[in-house]
Amino acid sequence: MITKRIIPCLDIKDGKVVKGVQFEGLREVASPVELAKFYSSCGADELVFYDITASAEGRALFTDILREAARQVFIPLTVGGGIRGVADFERVLSCGADKVSVNSGAIANPTIIGEAAKKYGNQCVVISADIKRVNGAFHVFAKGGREDTGMDAIEWIVRCVGDGAGEVVVNSMDTDGVKKGFDLELLEKVCKAVDVPVIASGGAGRAQDFVDLFEKIPTIDAGLAASVFHFGEIEINALKELLKERGIPVRL
C-alpha cells in the first residue's frame, strides 16, 4: 500500500520563511535552510519551497537558498515561484530541486507544462493551483492569490494533467491559515477528476485534520501544511504515529 506523505511548506519572502492567513498578513518565521534541516530530521517525507512573491514581482526565483538546502537536506524537494519557462525548470533542477511547481507561469504560458514534461519527465512537473470560491464556483487565482483568472479550477487542473503535469497541489485560499481543516469539498472534486497524485494544502490546524483528510478522501496522496509545523502546534513524528494508529499507511 502506498504511504501517505506529510509535507511541510516553506513560503519564502526576502530570504526568510513567512506565513500569513488567507495569503495576507505575512510574518517572518525562520531561516529556510535551518527549518528545512529540522523537518528533514523529524520525519517529513518531502519539502515544498515557494518563493511567494517572485511571480508578482516578475523576477527569477531564489537560487542560493535552494542550493544550500539541497546540499544539506536529503528528502525530495519541490520548488516553485517565478517559473515562467523551461529555462526556469532547468535552473531550479540544476540547483538541486527534485520537482518544479508551476502556477502563474502555466496560466500565462500553458505550453510550459507539456514542454517541461517532455524534457524532464512528468514526475518533475507539479501544477500548483491557488483556488478560491467566487459566487459558488471554484476559480483559479494567479500571482500569489492576487489575481482572479476567472478560470474554472477543476477544468484547469484536468487540462494541466492532460498536458503532462505529474502531480497536483491544491491550495485552498478559503481555508489557508484558518486552521479549521482541509477543504474536503474541493479536494474530493480534484481527486475524482484526475489520476495523478494530489496534495492537499490549506487549512490544517490540528493532527485530527490530517486524519479526517486521509479517512474521508482515501485517494488523496499527501497533506501539506506550514504554520502548524513552523510554530510547533503539530509535531510530525507524533502525527505519523497517530495516523498509523488509525490505520493510515505512513513512513515512520
Side-chain angles (χ1 to χ4, degrees):
M1 185 178 291
I2 297 176
T3 58
K4 304 300 185 181
R5 292 173 286 156
I6 302 299
I7 306 174
C9 176
L10 285 65
D11 292 333
I12 299 171
K13 181 178 187 290
D14 300 328
K16 295 290 185 179
V17 178
V18 296
K19 192 68 187 85
V21 177
Q22 293 179 314
F23 287 40
E24 297 179 351
L26 298 177
R27 60 171 167 154
E28 188 175 304
V29 177
S31 156
V33 175
E34 291 305 311
L35 198 54
K37 287 166 61 179
F38 169 75
Y39 287 136
S40 180
S41 70
C42 68
D45 295 296
E46 298 184 14
L47 291 173
V48 172
F49 273 19
Y50 284 141
D51 188 337
I52 60 172
T53 57
S55 293
E57 295 171 2
R59 60 173 169 78
L61 181 145
F62 59 86
T63 55
D64 53 342
I65 292 172
L66 175 54
R67 285 195 183 95
E68 187 61 20
R71 189 178 69 83
Q72 299 194 46
V73 174
F74 304 102
I75 55 177
L77 182 59
T78 299
V79 178
I83 306 298
R84 290 180 286 272
V86 174
D88 292 313
F89 273 78
E90 175 67 32
R91 179 169 51 83
V92 171
L93 291 170
S94 67
C95 288
D98 298 281
K99 294 180 280 189
V100 180
S101 176
V102 60
N103 184 344
S104 297
I107 292 169
N109 174 24
T111 62
I112 186 178
I113 295 172
E115 292 170 357
K118 184 176 181 180
K119 187 168 185 179
Y120 303 109
N122 300 55
Q123 77 285 350
C124 284
V125 183
V126 180
I127 182 67
S128 177
D130 294 335
I131 302 170
K132 186 176 183 179
R133 289 167 177 80
V134 178
N135 297 323
F138 291 110
H139 283 197
V140 177
F141 278 65
K143 297 182 180 178
R146 295 169 178 82
E147 181 180 295
D148 182 0
T149 67
M151 293 192 299
D152 179 86
I154 308 302
E155 292 177 1
W156 169 244
I157 289 171
V158 169
R159 174 182 175 180
C160 292
V161 171
D163 287 345
E167 191 167 77
V168 178
V169 177
V170 179
N171 305 307
S172 172
M173 294 177 63
D174 294 309
T175 60
D176 177 72
V178 179
K179 300 183 181 180
K180 297 295 185 181
F182 290 98
D183 194 332
L184 300 179
E185 178 191 11
L186 170 59
L187 292 163
E188 188 169 26
K189 287 181 180 295
V190 174
C191 286
K192 288 180 177 178
V194 298
D195 59 0
V196 299
V198 176
I199 299 172
S201 172
R206 57 195 180 118
Q208 184 63 38
D209 292 331
F210 287 88
V211 175
D212 292 342
L213 172 69
F214 294 126
E215 287 187 341
K216 294 180 180 180
I217 310 179
T219 54
I220 203 85
D221 288 84
L224 179 150
S227 60
V228 289
F229 295 144
H230 299 341
F231 301 123
E233 296 167 54
I234 298 177
E235 199 277 318
I236 293 175
N237 281 327
L239 169 60
K240 286 188 163 186
E241 290 289 352
L242 173 63
L243 293 172
K244 182 182 179 183
E245 289 172 8
R246 296 295 291 263
I248 298 165
V250 292
R251 178 185 64 85
L252 294 175

